[in-house]
Amino acid sequence: MTWLQQVAIFAAGIAAGGINTIVGSGTLITFPTLLAFGLPPVTANVSNTIGLVPGSVSGVIGYRRELQGQRSRLLKLGTASLLGGITGAILLLTMPAAAFKAIVPVLIIVALILVVVQPRLAAWVKKRRADGASAPEHGGPILLVAVFATGIYGGYFGAAQGVLLIGLLGVFVHEDIQRLNGVKNVLALIVNGVSAAIFIAIAEVDWQVVALIAAGSIIGGQLGAKVGRKLPPNVLRGVIVVVGSIAVVRLLTS
């Protein structure tokens, strides 16, 4: 790997760490970068997941004030994320690599659609709150099942996992959106963390890539928590859509 490629992966890690902390979809920056440098899709996904875990930890630390008083909520929803993440990681490692290569373009397209519609989803959640829609304190059983399903998706691939989570939390839990964003960061960390542990134990990992993404994502996680909210949302979404589209084209033509 050339030093320019190493710098590019490190920079992608910074961008992904910041994006994941703000909304999610950071994988749509790092994963296509790794594909562009010739890593096999499964190895790229596994290495990317492990590398982004330190950035997720960094983002959670950045949102620690918003997490105060939410211990019970985190325990309930975190259990669902843990079980979902284990299931998704096992599916990734037990399914043929060809199946992953066939499924991922579809998952990326779904993730890109979620990124694009996220403003409308947020507006709908806001209107629902303004109309006084009631919701159980921790979201109820429907949210638990939905978080478990999102965990499966996150353990298998994970791009836009954060968009899914913040949308679900906003609909089912009556709480300040920034506090819910803190919860989202914890749930994504649980899924990525348990997946990473499984991948380290039994999967092929490119540790140079892991180190570069990890170093970058730690910086990005802190930047995302502190100043990321000031970034123009449309610019951020535009970058994600462009990079994700390039990944889809590369997967379909390789």
Side-chain angles (χ1 to χ4, degrees):
M1 188 180 298
T2 69
W3 70 269
L4 282 175
Q5 290 174 330
Q6 293 178 46
V7 170
I9 293 172
F10 175 71
I14 293 176
I19 291 169
N20 280 341
T21 300
I22 300 165
V23 63
S25 308
T27 290
L28 291 179
I29 300 294
T30 46
F31 183 71
T33 302
L34 299 181
L35 291 181
F37 295 149
L39 265 73
V42 173
T43 302
N45 188 44
V46 165
S47 304
N48 177 66
T49 297
I50 298 171
L52 286 176
V53 169
S56 298
V57 173
S58 180
V60 168
I61 293 172
Y63 267 86
R64 60 189 178 278
R65 285 178 296 179
E66 286 83 358
L67 292 171
Q68 292 179 3
Q70 300 199 77
R71 184 173 183 272
S72 177
R73 178 176 296 151
L74 290 171
L75 286 173
K76 291 182 179 180
L77 297 179
T79 300
S81 288
L82 178 69
L83 296 175
I86 292 171
T87 304
I90 291 173
L91 285 175
L92 173 66
L93 296 178
T94 54
M95 294 177 66
F100 178 80
K101 188 175 180 180
I103 293 169
V104 164
V106 178
L107 296 180
I108 294 178
I109 291 171
V110 171
L112 293 176
I113 292 172
L114 287 170
V115 170
V116 171
V117 304
Q118 193 270 337
R120 293 187 180 183
L121 180 62
W124 180 72
V125 170
K126 184 177 180 180
K127 182 179 183 300
R128 180 180 166 88
R129 291 167 182 268
D131 292 340
S134 60
E137 181 182 0
H138 300 309
I142 295 178
L143 179 60
L144 280 173
V145 173
V147 168
F148 170 73
T150 304
I152 295 175
Y153 169 74
Y156 188 85
F157 182 56
Q161 176 187 188
V163 176
L164 281 169
L165 286 170
I166 197 65
L168 289 168
L169 291 168
V171 170
F172 288 99
V173 181
H174 191 71
E175 180 64 271
D176 175 77
I177 192 66
Q178 291 300 335
R179 283 171 61 79
L180 292 182
N181 202 35
V183 173
K184 176 266 291 181
N185 287 336
V186 172
L187 298 182
L189 170 60
I190 290 171
V191 172
N192 291 339
V194 69
S195 300
I198 293 172
F199 295 156
I200 289 170
I202 58 178
E204 181 180 348
V205 180
D206 187 319
W207 287 106
Q208 184 180 21
V209 165
V210 169
L212 290 167
I213 292 178
S217 67
I218 291 171
I219 297 171
Q222 287 301 302
L223 291 174
K226 291 181 179 179
V227 302
R229 299 183 186 97
K230 299 178 182 178
L231 291 175
N234 290 335
V235 173
L236 187 62
R237 275 188 288 273
V239 171
I240 292 171
V241 169
V242 169
V243 174
S245 299
I246 292 172
V248 171
V249 172
R250 179 173 176 80
L251 283 168
L252 292 177
T253 57
S254 61

